[in-house]
Amino acid sequence: MKLLKYIFLLVIASAVLAQCKKDDDAQECPPCDDPGNPACPNYDPCLDLNPVTAAFKIYDDVFSSGINSDQWFEDDIIYKGRVKFEAVEDSANYTWYLGLETLEGTEYQEVVRTLIDLNSGTYTAALRVEKEPNTACFPNDTGLDSTFRTFQVVGICDLLIMNKFKGVFDSAPQDSVIIEMFPWKFLPGNQEWEVACEDINGVGYINFSGDSDTIRDGSTDGLLNRYFEKYTTQPFFPKGYLQVYPDGTCKAEYETYGVARVFTGKIYEP
């Protein structure tokens, strides 16, 4: 198989050299050195290909219902809602091992499951992929691959988004501020409230309007580990998103009281 590949490359190189002739004695053909270009003598038809792989991605559902319920965010730390497992390999036979459940078939490149009564902890998902291999490019590929990944189910207080963030608003880049998100619940009588991790009534925001304000929302929709998005018709609730990146930096674009705000910063560590 390797010999066929080299013969193929040699034929292409010969064709390119035959076409690259001097129009006159003073003009040289420009060099062609791009392995991704079929017209170049060093073209590699296997450059963008890979052996059969069982690699897969894990996503959390931003919204559990409604018109935006198919918006997904890639992460392996999950907070309620739905979780999606997506195989990287296209057009293969897939066998998923998800807890006590086994799914097999060509239709299972993606699997979506709802987290019902799943306690906080670490869980395992495994995938076996079978597909006709490209032996011309990968002579040792058997067309079979298996792998597994772990993911965590966590409570609201363990979410990275529930944090303090220090940074600046684009409207005042010289003035650093701290914004904060927190979960809260009512105390008995529903007159007072407190920050809490169980029996949550909603999410709170501190300084999102830039004037040390505290806003309490009676909803946790759109809440994930490193991402939060809010749709609302209430002008005082932040409408937009906040995203935390793996390195701890963050960016938020939202609107409160009719004012658009852009915040960039990182997790605050006093």
Side-chain angles (χ1 to χ4, degrees):
M1 293 299 179
K2 286 186 176 179
L3 180 60
L4 291 176
K5 175 182 174 182
Y6 294 140
I7 292 175
F8 178 64
L9 293 176
L10 182 60
V11 170
I12 291 178
S14 300
V16 171
L17 291 175
Q19 293 175 357
C20 185
K21 296 180 180 180
K22 297 180 181 179
D23 294 333
D24 54 61
D25 293 338
Q27 184 177 2
E28 294 285 342
C29 292
C32 183
D33 185 24
D34 181 0
N37 185 350
C40 296
N42 65 334
Y43 171 63
D44 184 357
C46 304
L47 182 66
D48 295 324
L49 303 180
N50 295 289
V52 173
T53 177
F56 62 93
K57 299 179 180 181
I58 301 175
Y59 299 86
D60 200 1
D61 199 0
V62 179
F63 297 97
S64 57
S65 61
I67 61 174
N68 300 300
S69 60
D70 284 328
Q71 181 179 345
W72 299 93
F73 189 88
E74 186 176 356
D75 201 351
D76 56 8
I77 298 178
I78 310 298
Y79 174 64
K80 65 179 189 180
R82 297 186 301 168
V83 60
K84 179 171 73 172
F85 306 96
E86 181 181 54
V88 172
E89 193 71 59
D90 293 322
S91 305
N93 188 71
Y94 311 95
T95 304
W96 292 95
Y97 304 94
L98 307 172
L100 300 178
E101 183 179 24
T102 300
L103 299 169
E104 181 178 3
T106 56
E107 70 271 30
Y108 290 120
Q109 184 175 1
E110 294 183 5
V111 177
V112 177
R113 289 294 179 267
T114 300
L115 303 179
I116 300 177
D117 298 327
L118 197 60
N119 294 327
S120 296
T122 301
Y123 296 86
T124 299
L127 173 64
R128 182 178 185 269
V129 169
E130 182 176 2
K131 182 178 179 179
E132 186 69 27
N134 183 345
T135 54
C137 291
F138 309 104
N140 295 323
D141 187 5
T142 64
L144 295 173
D145 193 35
S146 299
T147 192
F148 73 93
R149 291 185 60 182
T150 60
F151 64 97
Q152 289 182 276
V153 177
V154 299
I156 193 169
C157 283
D158 294 318
L159 300 177
L160 198 61
I161 205 82
M162 292 297 166
N163 232 312
K164 293 181 179 181
F165 305 95
K166 185 174 183 179
V168 296
F169 291 109
D170 277 12
S171 57
Q174 304 302 320
D175 301 324
S176 63
V177 297
I178 295 175
I179 66 173
E180 180 180 358
M181 289 183 61
F182 63 90
W184 66 274
K185 72 174 182 180
F186 278 119
L187 294 173
N190 293 343
Q191 298 299 315
E192 302 291 334
W193 60 273
E194 67 178 2
V195 176
C197 299
E198 303 289 342
D199 303 321
I200 303 305
N201 290 111
V203 175
Y205 320 89
I206 295 177
N207 205 29
F208 268 54
S209 296
D211 56 5
S212 300
D213 57 312
T214 298
I215 302 171
R216 287 184 297 113
D217 182 10
S219 170
T220 59
D221 285 349
L223 184 66
L224 301 180
N225 177 50
R226 293 192 294 108
Y227 185 79
F228 178 71
E229 187 168 341
K230 182 72 177 179
Y231 292 103
T232 180
T233 58
Q234 300 294 331
F236 44 86
F237 289 156
K239 180 173 66 175
Y241 79 90
L242 169 63
Q243 179 173 352
V244 184
Y245 300 98
D247 63 357
T249 59
C250 69
K251 182 175 182 179
E253 296 186 41
Y254 58 90
E255 178 183 304
T256 54
Y257 299 101
V259 178
R261 309 177 193 277
V262 178
F263 175 88
T264 54
K266 61 180 181 180
I267 293 175
Y268 176 60
E269 298 178 356

